[in-house]
Each structure stands twice: as structure tokens, then as C-alpha cells.
Amino acid sequence: MDPKSQAQLLKEAFRKPPGPWEWLLEGLAFLAMAATWAVVLVAWSHLPDQIPTHFGLGGEPDAYGPRRSLFLLVGVQLAIWVGMTLLILLVPRGTINWPGEITETNAQRVATSIRGMLRGMKAFVVVLLGFLALETVLIGLGRQARLADWLLPVALILPPFMLAVGLAYGLSGPEPGYGQGTGGKGGTSGTAGRRSPAVGQPRRGRQTLFWSLVLLALLALASWAPIWIVQEWGWAPDRSTALAVGTMMVLVGLTMPFVPPNPWIGIRTSRTLSDRRVWAETHRLSSLVWVAGGVLLAAMGVAGWNPLVALIVIVAAVVAVSAAVSYAVTKRVQRQ
């Protein structure tokens, strides 16, 4: 379908009023902001002249400033609430990059998904900043010594899962089909570069969503693991990052052979998206490359052998080899 037609379908879908869950998220964000301002104003006269303004990875205060700096935090909260509210209102007027084709049957689902993700992120950020302001007040009043242990993990892990839920809802319908073969010599019988209807689209859509959630979970784990390692093991950040990314690469490599063709995760090139055989063979061979690269990177992180250089070089090499594998597989399939 023409991109302009897809954009028009989505704009029409945005005209429908928000559902109950969207109003619930809006109410949560507003109440959290109001409660934050109420706590700050009530506690203001009881706060000392100096309060924490920055916290380390373990949650302990490592910088202090005047108590008026608390208004900077709640001011940022208010600015985010206003800014994201305006963004939600303006989204239907702009161009939206959605990882899939928008049709008459899924336009409303996509619109609901996009609005839900934006409202969910707005509520999450506003509530998180509210808790941070409350924790700052409690530390300033001497009620506790550090931030709650759950605050940083939640801040790192929950957003990817929120986005995953929104994408899962928006993409839970049938997916576009992909070509079943690449033209042989002379190109007389191939379908390279064309998408054709595929059998079992809903099932493949569910498989894609499942493995997408798995990959998002791995990314969330990879973002949290270096911080946990730095805190618990006392490692340098570059070593812990190399170990976490290497472990994630191994896990991603192990999942590659099971990810079905789709337009938004995996090794998505024009070659792999035009032929299911190229997709399957590319991911099967590339999984070995990702696992081997991940093991090597994790080992260099554990050993402390130039982990930052290893991170850059190994990741770049794995991506380049995956692209080369895709090209080689395509040529071999074309010769068959």
C-alpha cells in the first residue's frame, strides 16, 4: 500500500476517542504529579538547607546542594508531563515510523498501540520522578540513608517491557507475507524482491512477537547486568559491560534459528526479507558467529584484556560477518 494511504488510515484511526486504559494512564500520571508537588510543599519547611542532588550506582548520595534544587526535579517532571501530553496530541499530524504495513484491518490497533505506549511512558517517567523526589525528601529528613534498592532496576528494566507490550498489541494481527524463493539463473522463475501472501501468517506473527519479547528481555538484562556487576563484584565498568554484552550475544545467537521472517527484528536485509530460505540459512549460520563472538567477548571481559577495544571490534566484526553470510547465502540460493 502507498505510504500516503497508510498515513491517512492511521490519522483516521487516531480520531477515535481514547479507551479506558489510556484514561487510566493519564489519571495515574496526573495524580503522581499532583502528589509529588504536595509532598514537596508540605515537607519544604522541614528540610535542611542541604539535600542530596545526585546518587551513585548503589543509591548512596554523592553530591549535595541547596534545598531549592528539589524544585528543579519536580520542574522537570512537570515539563515532561506537558511535553508528552502535547506530543500525544500532535502525533496524528506527523509521519509515524511503524515496523509493519498499516491496513484498514489493523489501523485502529496500531493507533491504540502508539497512544498506549506514549501514555504508558509518560505515566512511568512521571511516577518514577515522583518516587525520586519522595526518596530525596526522606533522605533529607533523615528517615533513610539511601535510595530504595528497587528504584534503579525498575528504571532500567521496565521501559523495554512496556514498549514490548505496546508493540505486541499493535503487531498481534497477521503479518505481510514474504517471498518463497529467489530467482535462479536468468531470473525466469524467481520472486526476488517481491512479497507474496504467506500461509499461516497469524502463527508467524505470534512467533515473531514471542521472540521479540525474548530479545527485549535480553536487552533489558544486558542494560542492568553491568551496573549489578560493578556494585557486587567491584569490576571496572568496561569489564562488566564486555561480560554483559558478550553474554547477551550468546543468548541472541541461540535464539536466531527460531526467529521467523519479519520486518523489524533479526538480520533484516533486502536479501533475507525477499526469500525465506535465505532468511533461515542466514540466521542459522549467523547464530554460530554470534555465539562465538559473544563467548570471546565475555572471556576478554572476565580476563580484563582490553575489554573496551574488544567490545567495539568484536561487535563490528560479528555484524559484518552476518552481512557477508547473507550475501553468500543469497548467491548460493540463486545458483540452485
Side-chain angles (χ1 to χ4, degrees):
M1 182 179 292
D2 184 81
K4 292 183 179 179
S5 301
Q6 295 188 54
Q8 185 60 36
L9 286 174
L10 201 54
K11 289 180 180 180
E12 293 176 359
F14 271 114
R15 293 172 185 161
K16 294 189 177 181
W21 281 104
E22 294 181 65
W23 286 119
L24 179 63
L25 291 171
E26 286 288 354
L28 177 62
F30 181 80
L31 290 176
M33 185 179 60
T36 302
W37 280 88
V39 168
V40 170
L41 294 176
V42 169
W44 179 255
S45 60
H46 304 285
L47 289 172
D49 293 335
Q50 296 289 310
I51 62 171
T53 57
H54 191 270
F55 301 89
L57 294 178
E60 298 85 0
D62 57 11
Y64 290 83
R67 63 178 179 175
R68 66 174 180 272
S69 60
L70 193 59
F71 282 110
L72 176 61
L73 179 60
V74 294
V76 170
Q77 182 196 52
L78 176 61
I80 290 176
W81 183 86
V82 172
M84 294 201 70
T85 300
L86 293 175
L87 177 62
I88 293 170
L89 295 175
L90 295 176
V91 157
R93 302 182 181 181
T95 301
I96 299 171
N97 184 16
W98 180 256
E101 184 179 358
I102 299 172
T103 64
E104 293 181 358
T105 58
N106 70 358
Q108 187 58 53
R109 180 180 290 271
V110 172
T112 302
S113 173
I114 293 173
R115 290 189 314 202
M117 284 190 289
L118 290 174
R119 286 192 164 99
M121 290 304 299
K122 179 173 77 170
F124 172 76
V125 173
V126 170
V127 170
L128 183 67
L129 291 177
F131 272 112
L132 183 59
L134 175 61
E135 294 280 292
T136 302
V137 168
L138 292 176
I139 294 173
L141 294 175
R143 303 292 180 85
Q144 61 188 53
R146 56 197 293 272
L147 294 176
D149 293 334
W150 57 265
L151 198 60
L152 185 57
V154 167
L156 291 173
I157 294 175
L158 192 56
F161 283 98
M162 294 175 62
L163 294 176
V165 170
L167 287 172
Y169 178 78
L171 294 167
S172 58
E175 296 180 2
Y178 294 87
Q180 302 301 311
T182 302
K185 294 180 180 180
T188 58
S189 61
T191 58
R194 298 202 307 269
R195 294 181 179 180
S196 59
V199 178
Q201 291 175 354
R203 181 183 178 187
R204 189 168 69 247
R206 290 192 294 269
Q207 290 176 342
T208 302
L209 292 175
F210 172 78
W211 289 110
S212 300
L213 291 174
V214 171
L215 292 175
L216 282 171
L218 295 178
L219 291 174
L221 177 63
S223 66
W224 167 244
I227 297 177
W228 183 86
I229 293 172
V230 168
Q231 293 180 6
E232 299 296 326
W233 297 355
W235 283 19
D238 56 350
R239 289 185 63 194
S240 62
T241 301
L243 175 59
V245 174
T247 303
M248 184 198 69
M249 289 174 63
V250 172
L251 297 175
V252 169
L254 293 175
T255 64
M256 275 187 171
F258 306 100
V259 178
N262 69 91
W264 59 296
I265 63 169
I267 303 173
R268 297 170 294 110
T269 67
S270 59
R271 304 180 185 94
T272 58
L273 290 177
S274 63
D275 191 311
R276 290 181 61 83
R277 291 179 297 171
V278 174
W279 175 282
E281 189 70 8
T282 297
H283 284 74
R284 184 179 66 83
L285 295 175
S286 294
S287 67
L288 303 176
V289 178
W290 280 75
V291 170
V295 170
L296 179 60
L297 179 57
M300 296 187 73
V302 172
W305 296 334
N306 296 319
L308 183 58
V309 175
L311 176 64
I312 298 173
V313 172
I314 292 175
V315 171
V318 167
V319 172
V321 171
S322 296
V325 167
S326 171
Y327 177 80
V329 169
T330 302
K331 290 299 182 182
R332 180 167 59 81
V333 170
Q334 287 177 341
R335 290 194 297 267
Q336 293 177 352

